[in-house]
Amino acid sequence: ELKVEQNPLFLSMQEGKNYTIYCNYSTTSDRLYWYRQDPGKSLESLFVLLSNGAVKQEGRLMASLDTKARLSTLHITAAVHDLSATYFCAVGPFWGSEKLVFGKGTKLTVNP
Amino acid sequence: ETGVTQTPRHLVMGMTNKKSLKCEQHLGHNAMYWYKQSAKKPLELMFVYSLEERVENNSVPSRFSPECPNSSHLFLHLHTLQPEDSALYLCASSRTGRGDTQYFGPGTRLTVL
């Protein structure tokens, strides 16, 4: 059974600090996705990582993928309050299935 | 309207009621999805439709019945639900379904009494 594990599940950090969220998965996959969800709102696509060594950056967020280690990281640089949200990674699809398997999410709170 | 819209945004129903959730995508996509998001559990895929054909059903109880009349609309018909079915139900769409980025609607918050 495919497992996608994120850690930490809860992260409280101060503005201006750096931190990394980790996403481990148990089965080889074509793609890895990062999504953001604000409270009471839907999921917003942040990044799609397609190959080993892929790195994508948008503002203060940078995502990377190591397919050999089955690990993706979401690095936050100089956090600001607006980044407070829940971040999900998802893996898939797989042969014969359209399914994406999501992690439980990391709830990030950035404090002034 | 742009993107993916869902109605209603909130729904409270009794266990004997029948209701339907509606999703509409304005992106010209060919694949649509229903997900369930419960507290403290990962997002769970329920159904996938590609070009109006159901291509995946992830062991969902029969009290949930999807319908996709065309590539822009997706419904989830609900009947005799249980309190544990209370959750946020999210609709998503993607261009072709094979790994394309999925775009999510705002969700319907369902409470079953």
Side-chain angles (χ1 to χ4, degrees):
Chain A
E1 179 191 347
L2 171 67
K3 291 183 180 177
V4 179
E5 294 185 352
Q6 286 183 239
N7 71 82
L9 297 182
F10 297 92
L11 176 57
S12 181
M13 56 191 296
Q14 284 188 309
E15 282 191 326
K17 299 291 186 182
N18 304 332
Y19 210 83
T20 300
I21 299 170
Y22 298 88
C23 175
N24 288 91
Y25 54 98
S26 60
T27 302
T28 302
S29 169
D30 286 345
R31 302 177 183 212
L32 189 134
Y33 305 79
W34 283 98
Y35 285 88
R36 167 182 173 149
Q37 186 177 35
D38 291 291
K41 300 205 173 174
S42 190
L43 278 75
E44 173 193 352
S45 175
L46 294 175
F47 303 108
V48 181
L49 302 169
L50 302 179
S51 60
N52 187 42
V55 176
K56 290 198 174 179
Q57 183 163 5
E58 180 74 34
R60 300 175 188 274
L61 300 178
M62 183 173 72
S64 65
L65 179 62
D66 180 344
T67 57
K68 293 179 182 177
R70 295 179 186 162
L71 170 69
S72 179
T73 61
L74 181 66
H75 187 72
I76 303 152
T77 302
V80 292
H81 180 69
D82 286 351
L83 290 179
S84 297
T86 299
Y87 293 86
F88 294 90
C89 65
V91 176
F94 305 94
W95 180 254
S97 171
E98 307 283 341
K99 190 173 183 176
L100 292 187
V101 179
F102 283 77
K104 290 185 176 181
T106 297
K107 185 173 181 180
L108 171 66
T109 304
V110 181
N111 302 304
Chain B
E1 291 269 25
T2 58
V4 181
T5 58
Q6 289 185 242
T7 55
R9 295 294 308 277
H10 300 271
L11 178 62
V12 179
M13 60 187 287
M15 289 191 284
T16 58
N17 292 157
K18 289 184 181 181
K19 296 286 185 184
S20 295
L21 309 185
K22 179 183 175 183
C23 174
E24 185 173 358
Q25 58 95 0
H26 309 267
L27 300 169
H29 289 168
N30 290 319
M32 297 186 77
Y33 311 77
W34 278 117
Y35 285 89
K36 177 182 179 182
Q37 188 176 32
S38 307
K40 300 181 182 177
K41 289 180 72 175
L43 203 63
E44 300 171 80
L45 178 66
M46 300 174 72
F47 301 104
V48 182
Y49 276 81
S50 181
L51 295 172
E52 300 141 50
E53 297 273 339
R54 190 190 311 182
V55 297
E56 198 149 347
N57 172 351
N58 281 277
S59 304
V60 180
S62 59
R63 57 186 183 267
F64 295 91
S65 175
E67 179 190 0
C68 188
N70 55 63
S71 59
S72 298
H73 294 87
L74 185 65
F75 295 89
L76 188 62
H77 303 299
L78 316 171
H79 64 97
T80 58
L81 294 191
Q82 305 298 311
E84 59 264 29
D85 296 323
S86 298
L88 181 68
Y89 288 85
L90 291 165
C91 173
S93 71
S94 66
R95 192 170 59 87
T96 66
R98 276 300 300 167
D100 291 329
T101 297
Q102 295 179 21
Y103 295 85
F104 285 80
T108 295
R109 174 67 64 185
L110 174 66
T111 303
V112 182
L113 302 175

